[in-house]
Amino acid sequence: MRTILDLKPYQAEAADLVVRAKGVALLLRPGAGKTVTTLTALKKLQAWPALVVAPAQVVKANVWGKEAASWQHTEGLEVTPLVGTAAKRARAMTEHNHVEVVSYDNLFWLTEVVSLRKRYRAVVFDELSKMKAPGTKRFRRMRAEVKGIPVRVGLTGTPVGNHLLDLWGEMYMVADEKPLGPRFTDFRAKWFETVDYQERVWRLKCCPECAVVDGKKRSCRATRPWLSCKCHQEAIAGLRRAIKPWAFTMSAAHEKTLGIPPVVVNPVRVELPEKAAEQMAELRRVLTTELAGGVTLEALNASEVAQKLRQMAGGAVYTSKNAMSWAPVHDAKLDALDLLLDELQGEPALVFYWYQHEKERIVARLAGRRFGFASEEKDRIAWDRGELEVLLAHPQSAGHGLNLQAGGSTIIWYTLPFSHELWVQAGGRLARQGQVAPEVPAHVLLAGETDEDTLRLLDGKAFQEREVVEGLR
């Protein structure tokens, strides 16, 4: 059993910061040991009872309880997941608990049963990025509930999951207005400007002409949003200074000691059948196309076109608004998946899909192979034992908190997410401490320009996050 002396230097440093500041965001990559770091700090503070709010799969798998039991200095802690019916959850709260773990889905129930600030001495947001949106009911409820709780900790490996605007909500949850101000609108007005009249797209404020591209001066408005210029760099530096007293990330030297292998992206270009390519081009051009069997597919706006093109790239598309019926378009990605699995020669692969019809089609194609689902505990156990060739997962349900590194080292993306947070977190299920492979290959199936554009978008979001996090070191 590991002891407190086995903590990495950065973990001990992070725990000490939580003890001193009592309101901290631990911005540590997936697999870096945020759970035991937090438990260590809570024990030093004797901040009992503590509440951990975590993704549903993390709660069901009792990740916090298992981690506490695997360390000598935390094995005596009573960690109770609040699961099951409302009555079962309420009964679990009557026990002598050091830590209670509730899912984000059951958070509203908990706030109606008890006053969080009266019951708990600490609150931990496992995957702090789930508190990034200040306009949601969840954020507004928790903003009122956490006031007065002495210790507040946020854990995430993806603080800029989609946009730098995400930082305000995350930092407010751990330190109120101290890092970035009391109001989101004031924060946004100070650091950002809108690029469309509907105020849906925002970027860091920039002077009219300061970016240099290919040796020529060009307006920042004409460049990619993640292309650095002097104003952009100054704004990023200002944001870093604002959050640094309440944020912790490991140094580059500490990262090297982790032993976490890199995720190596391997784009796999999938050639679309001529008919499918024509249908996608027609839908993009005139917002309608005819599928096999006389099914007419229509889109009402650019957003709907983008969604349908994304589905068609995967090989099928929903034909009803309620997503109850779908029509096949091609089998190119299924064939590419089959080929990849054959090339792996039985080596286990974690396969991420996005749409329900993709799951159904993949399951049909996997007939004859040993496969399971990351959402099922029995299948996760079989995966860890090396009994499965394929573990199917959706990044929204299995992208956070699960330790799957024992079962394999290969990822296959059938369809990419738009969210950089899900992209990184999903990779972190295998690329984490305990992974024995020197690298985690992530084979990305790309069928046409829609998939290619999504991968470029994720690269841009990753660039922005690196600028913020690495500057905190």
Side-chain angles (χ1 to χ4, degrees):
M1 180 177 287
R2 293 169 292 180
T3 73
I4 195 169
L5 298 177
D6 293 317
L7 290 176
K8 303 283 186 182
Y10 72 85
Q11 290 177 296
E13 186 180 342
D16 288 342
L17 179 60
V18 172
V19 171
R20 292 196 312 272
K22 299 182 177 59
V24 178
L26 301 183
L27 311 181
L28 301 173
R29 60 175 294 171
K34 296 186 288 291
T35 303
V36 69
T37 299
T38 306
L39 289 170
T40 301
L42 294 177
K43 186 167 185 183
K44 287 182 178 180
L45 288 165
Q46 290 294 297
W48 316 127
L51 173 68
V52 174
V53 191
Q57 289 293 340
V58 173
V59 182
K60 291 177 183 176
N62 194 20
V63 170
W64 280 78
K66 292 175 181 176
E67 186 69 9
S70 67
W71 292 79
Q72 190 179 70
H73 66 291
T74 59
E75 66 171 330
L77 297 180
E78 293 292 334
V79 181
T80 302
L82 305 182
V83 294
T85 64
K88 287 182 178 179
R89 296 195 295 268
R91 279 198 301 272
M93 294 173 63
T94 63
E95 300 172 5
H96 177 70
N97 302 319
H98 291 100
V99 181
E100 294 175 351
V101 190
V102 69
S103 70
Y104 283 94
D105 298 333
N106 286 326
L107 193 52
F108 270 90
W109 165 82
L110 184 62
T111 60
E112 291 170 353
V113 172
V114 297
S115 168
L116 301 192
R117 59 180 174 272
K118 291 181 180 179
R119 179 176 176 83
Y120 299 106
R121 292 195 59 211
V123 60
V124 179
F125 295 97
D126 188 350
E127 291 315 326
L128 178 61
S129 55
K130 290 187 176 292
M131 301 302 300
K132 66 188 177 186
T136 61
K137 291 181 180 179
R138 175 192 292 167
F139 183 93
R140 291 196 295 268
R141 176 69 63 89
M142 290 305 292
R143 178 176 181 166
E145 286 286 339
V146 299
K147 288 282 188 180
I149 295 181
V151 181
R152 285 145 64 179
V153 185
L155 314 177
T156 183
T158 50
V160 189
N162 283 305
H163 199 282
L164 290 166
L165 288 167
D166 298 345
L167 288 171
W168 185 86
E170 294 168 346
M171 297 309 300
Y172 193 95
M173 273 299 115
V174 298
D176 295 327
E177 71 276 1
K178 293 189 286 292
L180 298 173
R183 286 180 292 275
F184 173 72
T185 52
D186 292 344
F187 162 73
R188 188 176 63 182
K190 178 180 179 179
W191 297 97
F192 300 87
E193 61 186 3
T194 185
V195 299
D196 66 325
Y197 74 94
Q198 294 178 318
E199 296 189 351
R200 292 180 178 177
V201 182
W202 294 78
R203 59 159 178 237
L204 284 170
K205 284 184 177 177
C206 228
C207 66
E209 293 185 357
C210 62
V212 177
V213 181
D214 297 331
K216 297 180 181 179
K217 221 175 185 185
R218 293 179 59 186
S219 167
C220 291
R221 291 167 174 76
T223 64
R224 291 171 294 173
W226 57 85
L227 185 64
S228 289
C229 61
K230 184 179 179 181
C231 291
H232 177 95
Q233 292 168 344
E234 289 175 353
I236 290 288
L239 281 172
R240 285 198 300 257
R241 287 193 297 271
I243 69 174
K244 191 167 185 176
W246 300 274
F248 178 88
T249 189
M250 70 184 73
S251 67
H254 285 150
E255 278 207 22
K256 291 179 181 178
T257 68
L258 278 179
I260 296 179
V263 176
V264 180
V265 178
N266 172 36
V268 179
R269 266 74 189 188
V270 178
E271 186 175 352
L272 286 168
E274 185 176 345
K275 181 61 176 177
E278 290 174 356
Q279 290 169 334
M280 293 173 70
E282 185 178 28
L283 180 64
R284 187 182 287 109
R285 186 175 64 255
V286 298
L287 308 188
T288 184
T289 189
E290 187 170 325
L291 304 176
V295 177
T296 299
L297 184 66
E298 293 181 327
L300 299 178
N301 51 50
S303 175
E304 194 172 346
V305 168
Q307 287 293 342
K308 291 190 180 300
L309 287 173
R310 189 171 175 229
Q311 294 173 43
M312 294 174 75
V317 61
Y318 288 117
T319 55
S320 61
K321 290 185 178 180
N322 60 7
M324 294 297 291
S325 58
W326 53 268
V329 179
H330 63 80
D331 290 341
K333 270 197 180 181
L334 289 174
D335 294 339
L337 175 63
D338 240 350
L339 182 60
L340 265 176
L341 294 175
D342 286 341
E343 290 175 352
L344 289 173
Q345 297 182 336
E347 180 183 334
L350 177 60
V351 178
F352 286 104
Y353 63 92
W354 189 259
Y355 297 103
Q356 180 65 25
H357 59 64
E358 292 178 345
K359 177 183 176 181
E360 294 173 17
R361 300 181 80 223
I362 292 171
V363 167
R365 181 59 70 97
L366 291 177
R369 297 184 189 268
R370 293 170 292 113
F371 70 92
F373 302 96
S375 57
E376 299 291 333
E377 184 177 7
K378 61 179 178 60
D379 290 341
R380 293 197 300 270
I381 293 172
W383 165 265
D384 287 343
R385 291 173 176 168
E387 297 170 0
L388 299 181
E389 185 179 353
V390 175
L391 188 67
L392 278 172
H394 194 289
Q396 285 184 317
S397 61
H400 292 85
L402 296 182
N403 301 317
L404 302 174
Q405 69 273 24
S409 62
T410 299
I411 293 172
I412 299 176
W413 281 96
Y414 191 86
T415 292
L416 288 170
F418 284 129
S419 166
H420 169 250
E421 175 190 355
L422 295 179
W423 165 246
V424 173
Q425 291 287 351
R429 297 317 96 213
L430 300 187
R432 55 197 304 113
Q433 292 186 76
Q435 176 59 257
V436 296
E439 63 183 38
V440 173
H443 304 290
V444 182
L445 303 182
L446 302 174
E449 62 181 276
T450 298
D451 285 348
E452 298 275 3
D453 288 344
T454 303
L455 185 58
R456 281 192 290 270
L457 176 70
L458 293 170
D459 286 341
K461 291 178 178 179
F463 181 88
Q464 278 200 332
E465 183 166 86
R466 284 197 302 272
E467 281 192 305
V468 173
V469 175
E470 291 180 4
L472 293 171
R473 295 171 174 171

